[in-house]
Amino acid sequence: MARTQIPLLYIVIPCYNEEKVLPVTAPLFLGKLRELIAAGMIRQESKVLFVNDGSRDSTWQLIRGFSREDTHFAGISLSRNRGHQNALLAGLMEARDKCDITISIDCDGQDDLNAMNAMVEEYLQGAEVVYGVRSKRETDTFFKRTTAEGFYRLLKWMGAEVVFNHADYRLVSARVLREFSDFKEVNIYLRGMFPLVGFKSTSVYYERHERMAGESHYPLRKMLALAFDGITSLSVKPIRMITGLGIGISFVAFLLILYALISYFRGDVVSGWASSLIATCFLGGIQLISLGVIGEYVGKIYMETKRRPRFIIAERTEDAGQD
Ligand code: UDP
Ligand code: MG
């Protein structure tokens, strides 16, 4: 069912220590916003909303400068660094009641802005969520590409519903965001959570470029952490796998016990040192891994029970006035 009303768009952009890239990309975001306004696809009051995620450089000063120069720019600043997902959530929640649709995108210019036209088009055709999907990843290093794709496969296999090759470039309607506000968990993995909200969704495809300036905040260590978080926030399959492993190993152990008993009754009791040592070590290892995985879930439950705020907004450009 096609929509007839022109939507008010907020482009939501998390920024952490991005003073190098913001001066390059901010005009591009503004240009795209103006183009969509001129094409009559979005309303004149649409905005680019930056979320400063507790940057230690001059990112916030830059954002305030932009908002003074052009009313299409706005910004909020978190009280400290909370990480990409929380910063994005803060921006989406801020935009929720001020707009009809949001498009979230990174501030480094890696994602093709032109895909926004197709996203808004899909919304006008009735979609509530439009996922931006990378059609190819040639500009990423081979290592980043294979690890990232391996991760999507792993997630899917673990039973978490994710859109293949979709990061956090997506259009979400205010209606979906209002429902999403009831997802109160503190361990958030947005790209895996929006499919859970439901509603009509679709994908648009785009090519991913290289970062325009500055450096990636996702070295392997953080990517692994994100992958682990994604799995443990969306799926309990690892716990079930441990149970399965336990049953399998118990079966092998049972066979070993039979073997030991038979050897005992045959009289050759001195042997068996090697096998008992191997079994002990093996089981010790398995038990430690299992405890670790279960501990990870217990830790998550612990964090959830605290019900701490997921972000705290310290400042808004609109509060700042024209100083
Ligand atoms: N980011 C953030 N908080 C953080 C780390 C990153 O808001 O603690 C933002 C960052 O400014 C960028 C986006 O999240 O807009 C994605 O980060 P990055 O480009 O470094 O990741 P990559 O594209 O390499 O995965
Ligand atoms: Mg990037």
Side-chain angles (χ1 to χ4, degrees), residues 54 59 99 106 229 318:
T59 300
C99 67
D106 292 351
D229 263 1
E318 64 199 49

Side-chain angles (χ1 to χ4, degrees), residues 9-231:
L9 167 71
Y10 263 56
I11 301 178
V12 179
I13 308 171
C15 310
Y16 176 56
N17 293 346
E18 299 282 12
E19 63 182 6
K20 285 209 190 81
V21 79
L22 264 186
V24 185
T25 53
L28 300 179
F29 293 124
L30 183 61
K32 181 44 86 179
L33 200 74
R34 289 218 169 106
E35 180 203 316
L36 292 172
I37 292 171
M41 292 171 76
I42 58 172
R43 295 229 311 264
Q44 167 68 27
E45 305 90 309
S46 297
K47 277 188 200 292
V48 176
L49 175 69
F50 292 107
V51 182
N52 170 37
D53 186 15
S55 300
R56 272 182 280 271
D57 64 2
S58 65
T59 300
W60 181 235
Q61 283 71 23
L62 282 171
I63 294 170
R64 289 183 51 166
F66 297 146
S67 76
R68 274 194 291 266
E69 275 162 33
D70 197 307
T71 51
H72 284 308
F73 282 124
I76 56 175
S77 185
L78 303 191
S79 59
R80 54 159 296 164
N81 180 248
R82 292 293 286 124
H84 180 198
Q85 297 290 299
N86 288 298
L88 183 51
L89 179 73
L92 292 175
M93 291 300 119
E94 178 76 9
R96 183 186 59 190
D97 299 321
K98 300 178 176 169
C99 67
D100 303 308
I101 49 175
T102 58
I103 293 181
S104 52
I105 188 167
D106 292 351
C107 73
D108 55 14
Q110 280 190 286
D111 301 311
D112 186 5
L113 291 181
N114 293 321
M116 287 188 187
N117 299 52
M119 285 181 175
V120 177
E121 209 52 69
E122 291 289 353
Y123 169 78
L124 292 173
Q125 292 307 311
E128 298 281 346
V129 182
V130 186
Y131 300 101
V133 177
R134 298 166 202 171
S135 53
K136 58 178 178 187
R137 277 176 166 259
E138 270 159 24
T139 52
D140 274 349
T141 58
F142 173 77
F143 180 73
K144 175 128 196 180
R145 194 167 66 223
T146 38
T147 48
E149 288 189 357
F151 168 52
Y152 288 112
R153 295 227 162 79
L154 182 68
L155 261 183
K156 194 151 228 167
W157 184 72
M158 288 281 180
E161 197 182 329
V162 283
V163 180
F164 191 69
N165 262 343
H166 159 70
D168 281 301
Y169 186 17
R170 95 195 123 233
L171 179 148
V172 181
S173 72
R175 173 171 181 206
V176 168
L177 286 177
R178 278 192 286 276
E179 301 300 338
F180 188 72
S181 325
D182 286 335
F183 287 59
K184 302 275 189 215
E185 60 235 64
V186 295
N187 294 289
I188 52 168
Y189 188 65
L190 296 175
R191 67 189 77 164
M193 288 166 73
F194 281 107
L196 297 176
V197 188
F199 292 104
K200 187 169 185 280
S201 70
T202 180
S203 301
V204 300
Y205 295 85
Y206 69 96
E207 281 171 31
R208 189 159 156 96
H209 307 298
E210 254 165 280
R211 214 171 210 286
M212 291 192 175
E215 303 214 321
S216 170
H217 300 94
Y218 279 98
L220 183 63
R221 185 177 55 82
K222 273 205 184 172
M223 264 176 62
L224 285 178
L226 184 71
F228 207 78
D229 263 1
I231 292 166

